[in-house]
Amino acid sequence: MSKFNSVFRGLSLALAFCCYALIGLGQKKPNIIYIMSDDHTSQAIGIYGGALASVNPTPVIDEFAKEGMVFENAFCTNSICTPSRANVMTGQYSQTNGVLDLDGDLPPDRQYLPIEMKKLGYQTAMIGKWHLKEEPAAFDYYNVLPGQGNYFDPSFRVSTVGTWPNNMESYKGYVSDIITDVTLEYLEKRDKNKPFFLMHHHKAPHDDFEYPERYQPYLADVDIPEPASMYSQPFFGSEGTLGRNNTLRDRIGTSVSSRHPYRNYSHQYGLDSIADKDERTHQAYQEYTKRYLRCVKGVDDNLGRLFKYLKENGLWDNTIIVYTSDQGMMLGEHDYMDKRWMYEESMRMPFIIKYPKLIKPNSRTKAIINNTDYAPTLIELAGGKVPAYMQGESFKSVLSKPSEEFRESTYYRYWMHLTHHDIPAHFGVRTAKSKLIFYYGEHYNTELYGKNTFTWVNDPSDSYHFEPTPVAWEFYDLTIDPKEVVNRYKDPRYKAEIEKLKAEILAQREKYNEGDSDYPNIQGAIDAHWND
């Protein structure tokens, strides 16, 4: 009997050990790589099927997307680099995280995403463009560009070579190649006994678009498709974007054409001598877009290198991989360049995610998400609970149920009135079917009024000054006007829908701490024109 008991006890222990091992395997945390480019708009990604898909700009990203889920309605809440990155890092809207514009910074105690990941047992790394000014000290390792950084022979601040901000290390070569090199080196040297959370951030394709000589032949003989609204848009906009009787048409929004007198690509590319304005615009657009897409090509090729490494080293299937951008980009639509606007091309972000344990290949979803939702989702995917201080929500459930609704609408606000690119301050909401924008036309810092806008110009007279601009509303019915070329705010058929959207704006401003009690000039404009 004692021998039987001994054997039985041995078998029981062995069975218990096997069960424990299986449970351990089942609970093994996935690695996470969050890849974010700068200004890579969804219309310049083939899988999104926009006008530029025909030139095949992103074959690597497109193949990657086939293994996961494409979000067709991912949006930023503030389309400018620093605030967007702060939204991602904190899971909070701009007034709550304190980063309203390019002057904002994010200290280590508010770098919530890596802080939460470390609590869950992850080793954390931040490589590439940071753009949040303060040291990314919440990460275990960082190797980041100072500010915007350089395209060629860039310097980086590296956590292992000194004390911030004097921990600079110089590299030779092209920035997209170098960021990938650094990431591959990190993956080789990481602690193999712990899961990793890696933020891999590219500088490209940020303006000015600089690319290696190897990409000069790319698209050289191709005529890039052009947006029709670059040439004609008679029913677009409002007094908020055009001025009364079109008096601000040449002032608002920097341009591809020579419309804007101080910042336009026709002038920047030396095309002023071309007499025909449409031909001048055509050539400027072709040059602008080809430079942009050559930078995109550099990102795409380097993602091929990264994905190859992951596959060859057994990291492909147990790593959650996200590809996104910090915002979209205007590529000539409405004769605008840059971002900042609440229009689709600027507000929309690409968001593609692969995780075979949860997401079926070739999945697509129309669920509305925004970039405050990214941190909550990644935390939940890592096995954690969304912190109460985060305002965004996890969309993990959408990954296995693509048809599931998530948000009914998403709130947007651009704060930097007339700064850099002469775009008026505005806010609004976007639903699945429509969009309502309120241009309140005021800067939160009234001390800037009367001062120069473009601080980098040689002649201070060659730019406009800060000043209030007309207050106006714009409403777009996206079901019949996805390109947003007809402002239907004054169409009586939409009165009830517009009133509903106004109520939604007020509700979200209250919910997300986006009111203007601290800015009486802005609140005054809202009060005076809310019912216009």
Side-chain angles (χ1 to χ4, degrees):
M1 180 67 74
S2 60
K3 184 177 180 181
F4 174 80
N5 287 339
S6 177
V7 171
F8 180 78
R9 184 169 56 187
L11 288 171
S12 298
L13 288 171
L15 181 61
F17 177 80
C18 290
C19 291
Y20 177 81
L22 287 171
I23 292 171
L25 286 173
Q27 293 180 342
K28 184 179 180 182
K29 289 183 179 293
N31 304 305
I32 301 173
I33 301 180
Y34 177 90
I35 304 166
M36 187 161 73
S37 297
D38 194 302
D39 297 344
H40 190 186
T41 186
S42 59
Q43 67 262 34
I45 299 177
I47 199 72
Y48 277 91
L52 298 180
S54 61
V55 301
N56 191 29
T58 52
V60 173
I61 295 174
D62 296 348
E63 285 301 310
F64 157 72
K66 291 176 183 177
E67 297 194 34
M69 178 176 287
V70 174
F71 279 76
E72 298 177 359
N73 290 309
F75 300 100
C76 58
T77 60
N78 188 348
S79 184
I80 191 68
C81 297
T82 309
S84 178
R85 292 163 190 272
N87 295 153
V88 171
M89 284 288 172
T90 63
Q92 298 172 337
Y93 288 76
S94 295
Q95 286 204 69
T96 299
N97 65 41
V99 182
L100 305 183
D101 55 27
L102 291 176
D103 293 328
D105 59 70
L106 196 69
D109 63 347
R110 284 192 279 128
Q111 295 164 18
Y112 297 135
L113 182 51
I115 289 172
E116 295 296 334
M117 286 297 178
K118 281 163 56 168
K119 290 179 184 177
L120 296 170
Y122 281 78
Q123 56 190 309
T124 60
M126 168 68 225
I127 297 171
K129 182 175 176 179
W130 171 239
H131 215 252
L132 288 166
K133 294 185 175 60
E134 301 230 14
E135 181 180 17
F139 291 87
D140 297 313
Y141 170 79
Y142 64 80
N143 192 319
V144 297
L145 292 164
Q148 185 59 46
N150 297 322
Y151 268 111
F152 289 97
D153 299 336
S155 296
F156 289 72
R157 291 194 171 105
V158 187
S159 58
T160 55
V161 300
T163 303
W164 182 277
N166 301 312
N167 52 344
M168 299 287 286
E169 190 165 39
S170 297
Y171 294 79
K172 289 290 184 182
Y174 184 60
V175 68
S176 299
D177 302 338
I178 293 165
I179 289 169
T180 304
D181 291 342
V182 172
T183 286
L184 295 178
E185 182 180 10
Y186 167 78
L187 290 171
E188 276 291 298
K189 295 181 177 180
R190 76 188 194 282
D191 182 351
K192 305 294 197 300
N193 296 313
K194 295 176 66 176
F196 62 84
F197 172 66
L198 166 64
M199 303 194 85
H200 174 80
H201 289 191
H202 280 285
K203 167 186 168 63
H206 191 280
D207 195 14
D208 288 333
F209 314 123
E210 299 179 40
Y211 53 87
E213 187 176 350
R214 67 181 186 261
Y215 293 128
Q216 183 61 39
Y218 175 60
L219 302 174
D221 300 320
V222 174
D223 197 52
I224 307 295
E226 300 180 356
S229 63
M230 186 167 64
Y231 295 98
S232 177
Q233 43 186 344
F235 306 109
F236 165 76
S238 63
E239 288 188 355
T241 53
L242 301 171
R244 295 182 181 92
N245 300 315
N246 281 344
T247 52
L248 296 180
R249 180 183 177 277
D250 295 342
R251 191 250 164 91
I252 298 297
T254 58
S255 57
V256 177
S257 76
S258 54
R259 173 182 57 79
H260 193 287
Y262 304 134
R263 187 171 172 87
N264 69 76
Y265 278 84
S266 296
H267 176 72
Q268 183 166 329
Y269 296 149
L271 303 172
D272 293 336
S273 61
I274 299 175
D276 184 273
K277 65 177 184 179
D278 285 351
E279 178 61 23
R280 189 164 63 239
T281 301
H282 165 72
Q283 291 197 26
Y285 172 83
Q286 293 296 318
E287 183 67 22
Y288 171 83
T289 310
K290 287 178 183 181
R291 292 187 185 199
Y292 176 87
L293 291 174
R294 287 166 184 154
C295 291
V296 168
K297 176 70 170 170
V299 171
D300 197 65
D301 285 351
N302 274 289
L303 290 181
R305 293 175 57 210
L306 173 60
F307 295 164
K308 183 174 184 288
Y309 176 90
L310 296 175
K311 292 172 183 176
E312 291 178 349
N313 288 272
L315 296 171
W316 186 248
D317 291 332
N318 192 44
T319 300
I320 297 168
I321 303 175
V322 169
Y323 183 79
T324 185
S325 175
D326 54 354
Q327 59 255 332
M329 187 75 169
M330 306 300 292
L331 296 180
E333 297 86 3
H334 311 296
D335 192 28
Y336 292 146
M337 49 75 62
D338 203 70
K339 51 269 184 180
R340 305 163 190 260
W341 296 102
M342 196 181 161
Y343 301 126
E344 288 293 280
E345 298 83 4
S346 170
M347 180 188 184
R348 185 187 301 277
M349 308 168 76
F351 190 91
I352 305 167
I353 181 169
K354 183 193 79 71
Y355 186 37
K357 292 184 179 179
L358 189 61
I359 302 170
K360 293 180 180 179
N362 292 302
S363 297
R364 298 183 80 97
T365 180
K366 295 184 181 299
I368 294 174
I369 62 172
N370 71 47
N371 56 352
T372 68
D373 302 321
Y374 296 178
T377 302
L378 294 175
I379 289 167
E380 191 170 18
L381 287 171
K385 293 184 178 180
V386 180
Y389 62 78
M390 288 190 174
Q391 296 169 310
E393 302 174 39
S394 170
F395 51 82
K396 179 184 175 183
S397 61
V398 177
L399 301 181
S400 56
K401 299 176 183 178
S403 61
E404 183 175 277
E405 291 188 6
F406 185 64
R407 291 181 176 273
E408 290 188 4
S409 66
T410 184
Y411 179 78
Y412 179 91
R413 182 165 191 179
Y414 175 70
W415 287 81
M416 298 176 64
H417 181 64
L418 301 185
T419 307
H420 298 161
H421 292 279
D422 281 323
I423 297 168
H426 56 284
F427 58 69
V429 292
R430 200 264 196 206
T431 71
K433 295 182 179 181
S434 59
K435 180 182 296 183
L436 182 63
I437 309 172
F438 181 64
Y439 288 95
Y440 56 87
E442 292 272 357
H443 200 288
Y444 68 88
N445 182 3
T446 56
E447 293 180 2
L448 292 173
Y449 287 157
K451 296 182 180 179
N452 189 272
T453 311
F454 292 157
T455 56
W456 60 81
V457 297
N458 294 325
D459 182 354
S461 66
D462 284 348
S463 75
Y464 293 110
H465 289 170
F466 282 101
E467 62 184 1
T469 54
V471 180
W473 290 92
E474 294 181 15
F475 172 83
Y476 296 96
D477 182 346
L478 302 175
T479 64
I480 60 174
D481 182 24
K483 301 295 184 183
E484 299 170 306
V485 295
V486 181
N487 176 14
R488 292 179 164 86
Y489 180 75
K490 295 182 179 180
D491 187 331
R493 292 174 295 180
Y494 293 100
K495 183 178 180 180
E497 185 174 356
I498 288 170
E499 289 304 312
K500 182 180 178 181
L501 291 179
K502 285 186 178 183
E504 182 66 13
I505 289 175
L506 293 176
Q508 293 208 31
R509 279 168 60 79
E510 181 176 0
K511 180 178 181 179
Y512 298 127
N513 186 37
E514 283 291 318
D516 287 291
S517 59
D518 293 336
Y519 310 106
N521 63 314
I522 297 176
Q523 189 59 53
I526 296 170
D527 293 341
H529 295 278
W530 191 257
N531 295 316
D532 285 0

